[in-house]
Amino acid sequence: MADQNRRNVRELLLSAAVAGLALISSAARAEETIKVGVLHSLSGTMAISETTLKDTMLMLIDEQNKKGGLLGKKLEAVVVDPASNWPLFAEKARELISKNKVAAIFGCWTSVSRKSVLPVVEELNGLLFYPVQYEGEESSKNVIYTGAAPNQQAIPAVDYLMKDLKVKRWVLAGTDYVYPRTTNKILEAYLKSKGVKDKDIMINYTPFGHSDWQSIVADIKKFGSTGKKTAVVSTINGDANVPFYKELGNQGISAEQIPVVAFSVGEEELSGIDTKPLVGHLAAWNYFMSIDTPENAAFIKQWHQFIKNPRRVTNDPMEAHYIGFNLWVKAVEKAKTTDTDAVVKAIVGLETPNLTGGLAKALPNHHISKPVFIGEIQDDGQFQVVWKTKGLVDGDAWSDYLPESKPITADWTPPINCGNYNTKTKKCSGQKY
Amino acid sequence: MKAMLCTPRLRTLALLALLGLALGEASGARTSDPFSASLARLKGAPLEELGAAIEQFASVQDERTSKVLQALLDGRLFYRKADGKVVIGEPAEAGYAITDAASGEQLGTAERFEVKKISLNNALRTTLRETIGRLELNAQDPAVRLRAVQAMSQAPDEKNLALLRARLETERDPKVLDALRLALALADLASEDKNVRLRAIGALQDQTGAEVVNRLNALLEKNDEGEYLEPDSDVRHMAEAALHRIQSRLQFYGAVETLFFGLSLGAVLVLSAIGLAITFGVMGVINMAHGELMMLGAYTTYVVQQLMPDQLNISLFAAIPAAFLISALVGIAIERGIIRFLYGRPLESLLATFGVSLFLQQTVRSIFSPLNRSVATPAWMSGSLQLNGALSLTLNRFYILLFCLLVFALLLQILKRTRLGLEVRAVAQNRAMAKAMGIPAERVDALTFGLGSGIAGVAGVALSQLTNVGPNLGQAYIVDSFMVVVFGGVGNLWGTLVAGFSLGIANKFLEPYSGAVLAKILVLVFIIIFIQKRPRGLFPQKGRAAEA
């Protein structure tokens, strides 16, 4: 017993000493660094997608430091692990802002995680860069949305299917959570506005990680066998895609008969599967690794050097972080401070090159302008661009195809200064997010 | 219609002129080699122009054409960046083994970056398939001919139909004949002659394909003025009768298909639950790490495939004992290290094994990265078994169903016929008495747990063919496994089998009406109610030991 106690005391002393040392060192360093929070899950379900983004941020910060840092100070990454646990995202965000005093947070993947961080960044006046395509219907003063809004991904993809592939019948298949539900609501309204009838739309939701697709694929096959060209618009989330595509292949549905256009399948997801049966299926993104520009080639080279593995792929959310980080750097340089209010004010209107040969512009609604590409899956796990928008598409926070959000607009510049301004009643709604 | 108005004389003249042109082209060909010229047009063409280039290439009369087009369709046609030579590449170590597309000469190997693939999009793939079909209609291999007929029937224009009719005269293979007749009958539905249309419907009424149903339905549709598109009432009546007949058969096949879906879902449930039926059912240990033992089995499959990349078929069979061994060893380690101190304390063992499951997940994440690993499916397991136009069984599900029954039978034999089985049952029924009879209870505990865990590993091999191999694989199945074991009756293997299959079938019959999410909920609610009524499950254990 006495022995046990002595050991406990020793452990306590030791850990106190370590903690003290850590405190001193971090306090000393705090003088000369600007801290950047990285809030991505490194364990749990979402680790599969988010770990890559953490590495991307470390690479970008490293690169910026090689160029001499920011405002004469070095940047320092503070990496935390919210472990795919939505409430923990909020806690970790609070810790990053209040305890670590980070200047900005780059993070979140799922909409749920963003929604749980939102009240925290608004309360503590932090700044979050969110790099993933999402359902829209949101605009916060404290968030910069560098991923695609529905009009930068879903709507152009449907346009492509309708005009170029002459699709007449639509399957909207998604995982059962907020992003697919909202996106499909917008798409359904959009399709109906284009004269598509109810009987030509089939909507299907499946649980997270669904693996038994037999009956659903059989249903799709039946739905698509009426002689009219049919396509599947898939908002199926990450993991469930592999068994879905496998089942499509096994039941003999090829991309030529019923193409599937996916909004959540990118190079990273394809790297875990045998892509032979998927060849010809489509994805809509704002970036593809296969796009041939000098900026992209340099980015891929830099990534391979940093991660020390020439076989790793790059993807759309990585580009979003690249754009978001560069926008933030420019905004801080323009504002000459990392203070949230000043940076948010400075960032609107700034432009930075994206990786596909254009300029991404930060808009007053805190979204950015992006090109939209449709790619066909090739057997090497890459996409070949088969269609792209003429120019850049401005991100629209509030969809024009939903009656309730049609009159709403977001504009964080004076005189409106509001994330959900009703252009009809000329009022800023009290609802914050 | 206009062509019909031409006099036969005029047509002959036109044909002759065309022939002359073709001959002229062919004779000019010898000097400038149109094959190589149009082959060169394929490389580097933007997608919009590639279609025209393919068409031109296909029109060159040359025996090499179809081989090159097939390579293009399969994504094996490249051009060398250095000299622009079009080559056919086969994947080889560190690149491609390339052969000259024109001369067939072996050009050694090229590294990945030395060649550029000529890539296609969906529209081009469709036309390419049809083009190849035309070229291959007279091929030796009946399977190739069948593919050709099917591709050509997608584009039933005059030229294709004439080719198909000509083929019908000489075709001997019954499958190809069926496909030919179907394609021609569908085309005949558009004939001007009423009798031809009637005959076509007669030929179609025993078919079940979707195409047939659509075309027959189209005969019964009305236009905007309310007139039938098909003017003849005899034809309409016959089409209606044929449709009725087809629909009732389709309904039957639909039910068979759903039953198969249910059985295959049930097989997955049984496979994942059967190991738990031993650890939880026989030993009474609530093992939350059961799913992770399956995950280990799936990762073992991945590792075995990596070790023998060229023997895809053998590697899957080799993975079965390997996965059994690894999961069994980990299971025994868990039992010896943790669980044996916690017998009779279900809550603690639940928490401890939950901890083990998190530990195993994170270990795998550190070793293999959090990204999913790709486990290849051997050719004989992909695709489906086409029984007729309406009914096809997917092969991977079919084999897993068989595999599940095999594993079940084997396990039953182990428990019934072997010494270990006897000891396991003795310890499970009455521990004290078994010990008194000289059975080493501790060793039996470890072996039993190892057996259950090993079976979980084997289930993991099967799952690797169906779903993602990633660190979270096990989590997706743990709840289902417990559900099946509890529903079937703790301690009864037959109960697990019946429970797994009945839950699978119930789920699949509910799904079309309620959607996948609600079907799952309904099944869960049913089980909760069932357990209220019969707490010991479908097949409760009987006897004094069970009462204790």
Side-chain angles (χ1 to χ4, degrees):
Chain A
M1 203 60 197
D3 204 78
Q4 182 79 36
N5 269 339
R6 204 175 306 146
R7 201 184 302 157
N8 279 349
V9 168
R10 204 162 57 200
E11 261 173 26
L12 238 167
L13 274 174
L14 214 111
S15 53
V18 169
L21 262 174
L23 256 176
I24 293 164
S25 67
S26 73
R29 257 187 295 160
E31 301 295 323
E32 70 249 29
T33 63
I34 295 174
K35 289 188 179 170
V36 179
V38 181
L39 182 66
H40 283 302
S41 303
L42 311 177
S43 53
T45 333
M46 293 312 297
I48 173 174
S49 307
E50 292 193 64
T51 314
T52 313
L53 290 186
K54 183 259 306 176
D55 290 330
T56 309
M57 280 318 297
L58 293 183
M59 173 180 86
L60 291 169
I61 289 169
D62 191 45
E63 199 65 15
Q64 188 64 30
N65 280 338
K66 278 187 202 151
K67 283 191 257 173
L70 188 57
L71 301 180
K73 296 177 192 168
K74 288 272 175 218
L75 293 176
E76 182 193 344
V78 184
V79 178
V80 288
D81 177 15
S84 315
N85 175 345
W86 320 137
L88 197 59
F89 267 91
E91 264 175 58
K92 290 286 175 187
R94 187 173 292 276
E95 185 185 310
L96 281 174
I97 301 172
S98 347
K99 206 172 115 211
N100 296 311
K101 311 270 181 236
V102 297
I105 299 175
F106 290 80
C108 299
W109 182 288
T110 59
S111 288
V112 206
S113 67
R114 187 191 68 252
K115 294 269 186 207
S116 71
V117 167
L118 207 52
V120 177
V121 287
E122 293 201 340
E123 178 200 328
L124 303 173
N125 201 18
L127 182 56
L128 171 72
F129 284 81
Y130 177 65
V132 183
Q133 93 280 15
Y134 83 119
E135 67 279 4
E137 308 300 295
E138 182 185 302
S139 174
S140 163
K141 175 184 163 247
N142 301 80
V143 181
I144 307 291
Y145 305 83
T146 54
N151 74 316
Q152 292 174 306
Q153 192 187 26
I155 300 274
V158 165
D159 272 341
Y160 166 74
L161 291 175
M162 207 180 309
K163 288 186 188 128
D164 286 37
L165 298 188
K166 311 267 180 285
V167 170
K168 300 272 185 284
R169 270 164 91 79
W170 303 84
V171 181
L172 308 180
T175 303
D176 203 358
Y177 75 107
V178 55
Y179 165 66
R181 284 227 178 231
T182 317
T183 307
N184 284 346
K185 206 163 91 184
I186 294 171
L187 285 181
E188 198 186 351
Y190 180 71
L191 286 173
K192 283 187 178 156
S193 78
K194 296 280 173 187
V196 178
K197 293 200 183 66
D198 258 336
K199 68 172 169 58
D200 287 332
I201 301 176
M202 166 178 156
I203 298 181
N204 186 293
Y205 292 106
T206 38
F208 262 102
H210 191 63
S211 64
D212 194 277
W213 289 92
Q214 303 178 83
S215 5
I216 291 161
V217 168
D219 278 354
I220 291 175
K221 200 172 166 185
K222 264 187 215 118
F223 186 79
S225 65
T226 57
K228 289 185 190 167
K229 182 78 182 167
T230 306
V232 180
V233 177
S234 151
T235 36
I236 297 165
N237 190 271
D239 264 18
N241 276 298
V242 179
F244 174 61
Y245 284 111
K246 264 194 182 169
E247 192 65 38
L248 280 177
N250 281 336
Q251 293 202 17
I253 300 177
S254 72
E256 288 149 46
Q257 296 162 330
I258 303 181
V260 179
V261 56
F263 302 149
S264 307
V265 178
E267 289 87 347
E268 184 93 48
E269 286 76 18
L270 290 184
S271 69
I273 46 179
D274 178 18
T275 48
K276 284 256 158 31
L278 276 61
V279 170
H281 286 302
L282 307 156
W285 289 107
N286 309 107
Y287 166 87
F288 284 116
M289 187 181 180
S290 64
I291 288 173
D292 204 7
T293 62
E295 294 90 351
N296 193 21
F299 182 74
I300 294 169
K301 197 173 153 208
Q302 190 189 348
W303 171 241
H304 285 166
Q305 274 168 5
F306 179 83
I307 206 79
K308 296 188 183 62
N309 179 354
R311 295 176 64 178
R312 285 292 292 274
V313 292
T314 56
N315 64 9
D316 183 276
M318 285 171 71
E319 192 221 19
H321 258 343
Y322 171 85
I323 294 171
F325 181 75
N326 286 341
L327 279 176
W328 176 73
V329 167
K330 283 193 178 170
V332 169
E333 276 166 354
K334 186 175 159 196
K336 300 192 176 58
T337 164
T338 58
D339 174 64
T340 302
D341 288 331
V343 171
V344 163
K345 198 162 159 251
I347 205 166
V348 173
L350 281 181
E351 285 184 331
T352 182
N354 59 27
L355 294 174
T356 53
L359 281 177
K361 185 174 179 184
L363 304 167
N365 62 5
H366 282 187
H367 289 63
I368 65 172
S369 58
K370 284 167 166 279
V372 187
F373 299 94
I374 310 280
E376 270 184 17
I377 299 175
Q378 303 290 304
D379 57 5
D380 55 357
Q382 289 290 325
F383 290 88
Q384 172 180 307
V385 174
V386 290
W387 183 86
K388 62 175 185 179
T389 48
K390 291 236 160 50
L392 299 179
V393 180
D394 285 351
D396 186 13
W398 300 90
S399 174
D400 294 341
Y401 299 100
L402 292 179
E404 62 271 27
S405 61
K406 194 165 191 277
I408 312 263
T409 153
D411 188 342
W412 288 104
T413 52
I416 293 177
N417 249 330
C418 173
N420 45 10
Y421 179 76
N422 192 321
T423 47
K424 276 205 192 121
T425 58
K426 311 261 177 233
K427 267 191 198 135
C428 184
S429 140
Q431 171 213 348
K432 282 181 100 186
Y433 17 83
Chain B
M1 278 299 101
K2 281 229 172 86
M4 302 290 260
L5 295 175
C6 297
T7 61
R9 208 183 130 81
L10 259 174
R11 256 199 297 186
T12 328
L13 266 176
L15 267 176
L16 273 175
L18 270 175
L19 201 68
L21 267 175
L23 277 175
E25 226 177 58
S27 61
R30 258 167 241 130
T31 48
S32 71
D33 186 13
F35 179 81
S36 305
S38 44
L39 181 64
R41 269 190 66 192
L42 291 180
K43 64 163 195 263
L47 282 176
E48 305 85 63
E49 290 161 29
L50 194 55
I54 291 174
E55 205 164 302
Q56 203 227 332
F57 179 72
S59 67
V60 179
Q61 302 287 327
D62 196 300
E63 64 266 25
R64 293 167 289 182
T65 317
S66 79
K67 199 176 155 203
V68 172
L69 288 178
Q70 190 63 48
L72 178 60
L73 183 63
D74 297 345
R76 290 182 288 119
L77 198 65
F78 301 83
Y79 64 88
R80 256 209 310 231
K81 283 180 184 165
D83 56 0
K85 197 186 269 293
V86 180
V87 294
I88 296 175
E90 301 289 343
E93 227 167 290
Y96 301 98
I98 53 172
T99 47
D100 191 328
S103 66
E105 184 193 340
Q106 300 277 346
L107 297 174
T109 56
E111 296 221 19
R112 223 162 270 276
F113 61 86
E114 283 180 68
V115 288
K116 179 129 180 69
K117 187 183 328 179
I118 302 176
S119 43
L120 300 169
N121 65 14
N122 281 329
L124 286 174
R125 255 177 235 117
T126 313
T127 46
L128 195 54
R129 234 182 268 282
E130 187 224 328
T131 313
I132 294 175
R134 265 205 302 275
L135 294 171
E136 286 187 335
L137 190 59
N138 297 318
Q140 289 285 324
D141 184 0
V144 174
R145 288 205 301 275
L146 185 63
R147 204 173 58 202
V149 173
Q150 279 161 352
M152 281 171 75
S153 59
Q154 296 299 314
D157 52 13
E158 282 298 319
K159 197 166 68 174
N160 283 350
L161 288 176
L163 286 169
L164 289 175
R165 285 214 173 82
R167 184 68 223 174
L168 188 63
E169 306 291 317
T170 52
E171 183 58 60
R172 291 284 166 269
D173 187 82
K175 273 191 181 162
V176 184
L177 266 178
D178 279 350
L180 275 171
R181 290 209 183 102
L182 173 63
L184 290 173
L186 281 172
D188 281 345
L189 282 182
S191 161
E192 305 270 299
D193 185 351
K194 173 189 158 188
N195 289 325
V196 173
R197 289 204 301 273
L198 283 174
R199 225 181 21 240
I201 295 175
L204 289 174
Q205 64 182 352
D206 289 325
Q207 299 284 348
T208 40
E211 178 84 23
V212 177
V213 176
N214 293 334
R215 292 293 297 272
L216 288 177
N217 264 324
L219 288 179
L220 301 174
E221 266 170 26
K222 291 179 185 172
N223 63 9
D224 293 339
E225 281 98 58
E227 292 165 7
Y228 280 106
L229 291 175
E230 166 60 52
D232 192 281
S233 67
D234 285 352
V235 177
R236 283 204 306 270
H237 282 143
M238 191 157 172
E240 209 163 346
L243 256 181
H244 189 72
R245 190 172 157 161
I246 294 173
Q247 295 292 10
S248 62
R249 285 174 66 188
L250 279 181
Q251 223 158 24
F252 170 72
Y253 289 136
V256 174
E257 192 182 50
T258 312
L259 188 69
F260 173 71
F261 289 165
L263 282 176
S264 79
L265 175 62
V268 173
L269 289 176
V270 171
L271 262 179
S272 57
I274 201 165
L276 195 72
I278 296 188
T279 51
F280 176 53
V282 177
M283 298 177 71
V285 176
I286 299 181
N287 180 16
M288 295 300 283
H290 178 73
E292 277 58 43
L293 293 166
M294 287 195 263
M295 172 196 75
L296 286 183
Y299 270 98
T300 312
T301 319
Y302 166 73
V303 172
V304 170
Q305 272 193 358
Q306 293 302 308
L307 291 179
M308 37 206 296
D310 299 325
Q311 284 121 346
L312 194 55
N313 291 328
I314 307 172
S315 70
L316 200 58
F317 288 108
I320 295 172
F324 181 87
L325 266 181
I326 292 202
S327 293
L329 287 177
V330 173
I332 290 174
I334 296 174
E335 202 274 343
R336 284 290 91 183
I338 298 165
I339 292 174
R340 76 172 157 139
F341 304 110
L342 299 172
Y343 280 123
R345 286 146 70 185
L347 206 63
E348 272 122 295
S349 67
L350 184 147
L351 286 174
T353 50
F354 185 63
V356 170
S357 85
L358 292 180
F359 169 78
L360 286 175
Q361 276 177 38
Q362 202 60 36
T363 312
V364 165
R365 220 171 258 136
S366 316
I367 299 175
F368 293 97
S369 96
L371 299 177
N372 289 338
R373 298 287 105 178
S374 145
V375 174
T377 307
W380 52 270
M381 269 189 90
S382 32
S384 51
L385 193 66
Q386 193 79 34
L387 295 182
N388 59 39
L391 188 61
S392 60
L393 307 180
T394 42
L395 283 173
N396 60 347
R397 300 271 175 180
F398 183 67
Y399 285 121
I400 283 170
L401 181 57
L402 288 186
F403 183 64
C404 162
L405 295 175
L406 194 75
V407 169
F408 179 79
L410 213 71
L411 192 62
L412 213 58
Q413 291 308 310
I414 290 178
L415 285 185
K416 278 236 165 98
R417 299 279 160 91
T418 63
R419 167 124 199 129
L420 174 68
L422 187 70
E423 289 177 351
V424 168
R425 284 182 290 141
V427 173
Q429 274 176 18
N430 194 327
R431 200 183 177 82
M433 184 61 88
K435 266 183 155 170
M437 302 300 280
I439 292 174
E442 295 238 317
R443 206 180 61 119
V444 171
D445 282 339
L447 287 179
T448 316
F449 201 84
L451 179 67
S453 307
I455 298 284
V458 171
V461 179
L463 287 180
S464 75
Q465 293 300 316
L466 289 180
T467 183
N468 295 288
V469 178
N472 305 314
L473 173 99
Q475 284 180 327
Y477 289 92
I478 185 77
V479 175
D480 286 346
S481 311
F482 271 104
M483 203 169 76
V484 170
V485 175
V486 171
F487 180 55
V490 173
N492 191 322
L493 280 187
W494 282 101
T496 306
L497 186 78
V498 174
F501 280 125
S502 40
L503 288 181
I505 293 170
N507 208 324
K508 284 296 162 188
F509 271 95
L510 277 174
E511 217 172 270
Y513 305 105
S514 60
V517 182
L518 200 59
K520 230 177 162 170
I521 296 174
L522 286 176
V523 166
L524 259 175
V525 168
F526 165 74
I527 289 181
I528 292 171
I529 295 171
F530 183 87
I531 294 297
Q532 295 294 315
K533 292 277 168 220
R534 296 188 63 169
R536 283 167 186 277
L538 275 177
F539 299 96
Q541 259 189 331
K542 295 195 182 74
R544 259 182 302 175
E547 316 293 320

